Amino acid sequence: MAQFLKKLKNNTGELKSLSENLKILANEREKEVEPEKLSLKNAIEKENRKQMQIHARNIVRMRQEIRNYYQILHRLDSMVGYFDKEPEQSVMFSFIPTIVESIDSSLETRNSKNLVKTMDDIERRYFTEEVVAKFKYSSATENVPVFMSEDEKVSNLIQKVADEYHLKVSVGLERLSGTPTIRNEVKWFDDAEVKTRRTTSCFNMFACFSYEFLVIA
């Protein structure tokens, strides 16, 4: 029995292998971004509005896939760390083959959204909420992005590439996507600033409520 459990524990090596495969997929996708970026540059030079939108949207989606791959990669690494700390008698090791099979099947589709969903299902099924929170916390970036819709990212990217190559976008970006043009890159706030903004927001809400209460009184 002890030998069987030890064999199961060694299966964490398969999880590490999956993590490496994810890194390879992310790197492959990153290599595809540059040619797409050059195609976007050419479309801007030719003032081809349709091609601008197509190539910019492709890049936005590629980058989202890359982020998804790295997110799952870090969650897998955290899972391996969890198993490394488990005693050999733990029944948790018996779940590893099923976990590996599920992730492997999802990887074959090369659909990053499906992979994220598979990972969510695995964590929900086999781990406690506290453990899952640790997995996701370790995969979170230190910075928090301000939300932008895909259309906003497309417009923003077109302008960014145009600026990078000193080109002018003669076609109004607001007509490209139906959204206002955003000239700047996505703004990021560090954790301290996010907490400050949340605290300030809560304080302002409380102040407004208190003021209204006093006026009514």
Side-chain angles (χ1 to χ4, degrees):
M1 181 65 176
Q3 188 175 1
F4 174 70
L5 289 170
K6 189 173 183 179
K7 182 180 179 181
L8 287 175
K9 188 169 184 178
N10 289 336
N11 284 341
T12 55
E14 295 186 39
L15 291 174
K16 293 177 182 177
S17 178
L18 288 174
S19 182
E20 287 299 317
N21 290 340
L22 282 166
K23 191 179 294 183
I24 291 171
L25 285 175
N27 289 336
E28 287 178 354
R29 211 66 173 131
E30 284 177 346
K31 290 177 183 177
E32 295 173 8
V33 171
E34 193 59 32
E36 200 70 32
K37 182 179 174 182
L38 291 176
S39 296
L40 173 56
K41 169 182 172 286
N42 292 334
I44 295 172
E45 289 174 332
K46 295 176 182 178
E47 300 183 4
N48 189 323
R49 184 173 64 179
K50 184 177 180 180
Q51 288 300 312
M52 282 186 216
Q53 191 174 19
I54 289 173
H55 294 300
R57 200 171 296 279
N58 285 344
I59 294 172
V60 166
R61 291 176 179 175
M62 284 177 184
R63 287 176 175 171
Q64 183 58 53
E65 284 184 31
I66 293 167
R67 282 192 291 271
N68 287 345
Y69 285 139
Y70 277 112
Q71 180 201 124
I72 298 302
L73 186 156
H74 291 308
R75 285 162 72 177
L76 267 177
D77 288 344
S78 296
M79 191 179 292
V80 170
Y82 168 84
F83 281 117
D84 284 343
K85 294 177 182 177
E86 281 289 284
E88 289 187 358
Q89 294 78 14
S90 174
V91 296
M92 294 298 295
F93 291 109
S94 63
F95 301 141
I96 292 180
T98 306
I99 291 172
V100 170
E101 184 179 352
S102 297
I103 297 174
D104 203 31
S105 297
S106 187
L107 266 175
E108 289 179 2
T109 66
R110 294 208 170 196
N111 185 322
S112 66
K113 288 183 179 179
N114 185 44
L115 186 58
V116 171
K117 183 179 181 301
T118 298
M119 195 68 179
D120 288 340
D121 291 341
I122 288 171
E123 291 173 340
R124 192 162 42 242
R125 182 175 181 182
Y126 298 110
F127 301 93
T128 65
E129 290 183 4
E130 183 181 357
V131 171
V132 171
K134 290 179 181 178
F135 290 167
K136 292 185 176 180
Y137 178 79
S138 65
S139 70
T141 58
E142 293 182 358
N143 297 322
V144 181
V146 174
F147 174 78
M148 292 177 71
S149 69
E150 184 175 285
D151 285 339
E152 289 172 325
K153 290 177 183 177
V154 167
S155 295
N156 189 52
L157 179 61
I158 291 172
Q159 187 64 63
K160 180 181 176 183
V161 172
D163 290 345
E164 182 179 342
Y165 290 100
H166 307 291
L167 301 172
K168 288 185 178 180
V169 183
S170 59
V171 181
L173 293 183
E174 65 277 2
R175 295 200 301 274
L176 267 174
S177 60
T179 57
T181 303
I182 297 179
R183 293 293 303 270
N184 298 324
E185 294 184 54
V186 178
K187 186 176 180 182
W188 295 81
F189 300 121
D190 59 30
D191 288 340
E193 190 173 354
V194 170
K195 290 176 182 176
T196 301
R197 284 171 174 262
R198 286 176 179 167
T199 303
T200 304
S201 177
C202 291
F203 174 78
N204 289 339
M205 288 175 64
F206 176 76
C208 290
F209 175 79
S210 300
Y211 174 77
E212 289 179 3
F213 178 78
L214 289 172
V215 170
I216 293 172

